[in-house]
Amino acid sequence: MIAEATDLLLSHLVLFVLVLTRLSTLLMAMPAIGVGVPKRVRALLAISLTFLVLPTLASVIPASDLPQIQNMIELGVAIAREALVGMLIGTVVQLLVTGIQLAGELVSSTGGMQLGDAVDPTTRSSMPTLARLIGLLVTTIFILVGGHRYMLEALMDSFRGMAPGQVVLHEGMLELVVLELSLGMNAGIRLGAPVVTALLMANLVTGFISRTLPGLNVLAIGLNINAIALLAVMAMSIGSAGWIFSAELNSALERIVEIW
């Protein structure tokens, strides 16, 4: 009896570690939580959610499917695989946010506003302020539409499809990351296309003015026209970032669930 009780305790302890690993890496990669939230708060949140999820998983997963860890090497491999699954779910959504920020990069470079850079806490690199603004906008929309709940639901679906300790990595996961990277960039280009078109038209108008009035300071006038066109068109089209992000987020979460 003592030996059986000890084996049961150890098996659930391993289950706790594996569930905590998958959940922790998801929180690390999740927008609005992975960056800006103190590490202690994230750790407490991960442990609390693990305690909430673990009884359900322990009752659903039969004893024969519980991970049988024989040594520390097998435990390390199992933890690494669990971390990859949690990171996959969070990275897919984060790639979408980063891709939409490409619109700010395109608009800033086309409109000559490269000097207005700010440090992005997600990538730890310099980024135009407009791109940072778009990133904050879509992150806010992510919280408002309940994206964090959808991601946790996708995590629970991953536990049903791949029980803790039974993770199998396949090429479909890598294909999903590449697909979301391309779709995120596509969404960013779609968002920035109206502004870039308006800036190109403004440059064309500036060229006509320079041909008509050769003595005019075209450089100063061109910068002012570009700034006015950028602000006007961006103010009218930035609301479409929410629609584009919401549609792409729903599609991304559906593709995540199909993997399991």
Side-chain angles (χ1 to χ4, degrees), residues 60-78:
V60 172
I61 300 176
S64 58
D65 292 342
L66 290 176
Q68 303 297 326
I69 305 297
Q70 303 297 331
N71 50 56
M72 295 301 296
I73 297 178
E74 293 182 0
L75 179 60
V77 173

Side-chain angles (χ1 to χ4, degrees), residues 88-112:
L88 172 68
I89 301 174
T91 301
V92 165
V93 180
Q94 186 60 54
L95 285 175
L96 181 59
V97 175
T98 305
I100 292 182
Q101 286 181 316
L102 178 63
E105 299 271 0
L106 291 175
V107 171
S108 298
S109 60
T110 307

Side-chain angles (χ1 to χ4, degrees), residues 121-199:
T122 303
T123 59
R124 310 294 183 187
S125 60
S126 180
M127 178 177 293
T129 305
L130 189 57
R132 179 72 180 135
L133 175 63
I134 294 175
L136 293 175
L137 174 63
V138 296
T139 302
T140 304
I141 294 172
F142 170 79
I143 298 296
L144 291 177
V145 300
H148 54 292
R149 296 195 298 270
Y150 295 143
M151 292 185 69
L152 291 177
E153 183 179 353
L155 180 70
M156 295 303 297
D157 290 334
S158 72
F159 283 126
R160 299 187 189 98
M162 292 183 179
Q166 308 293 331
V167 175
V168 178
L169 303 178
H170 52 84
E171 61 181 8
M173 297 179 177
L174 181 59
E175 292 176 354
L176 177 63
V177 173
V178 175
L179 177 62
E180 291 303 325
L181 178 60
S182 61
L183 291 177
M185 296 179 65
N186 184 19
I189 293 173
R190 285 157 51 197
L191 177 61
V195 185
V196 173
T197 303
L199 291 175

Side-chain angles (χ1 to χ4, degrees), residues 89 92-93 142 146-147 149-151 154 157 180 248-258:
I89 301 174
V92 165
V93 180
F142 170 79
R149 296 195 298 270
Y150 295 143
M151 292 185 69
D157 290 334
E180 291 303 325
E248 294 295 338
L249 179 63
N250 292 331
S251 301
L253 293 175
E254 291 177 358
R255 283 188 287 268
I256 290 175
V257 174
E258 291 175 358

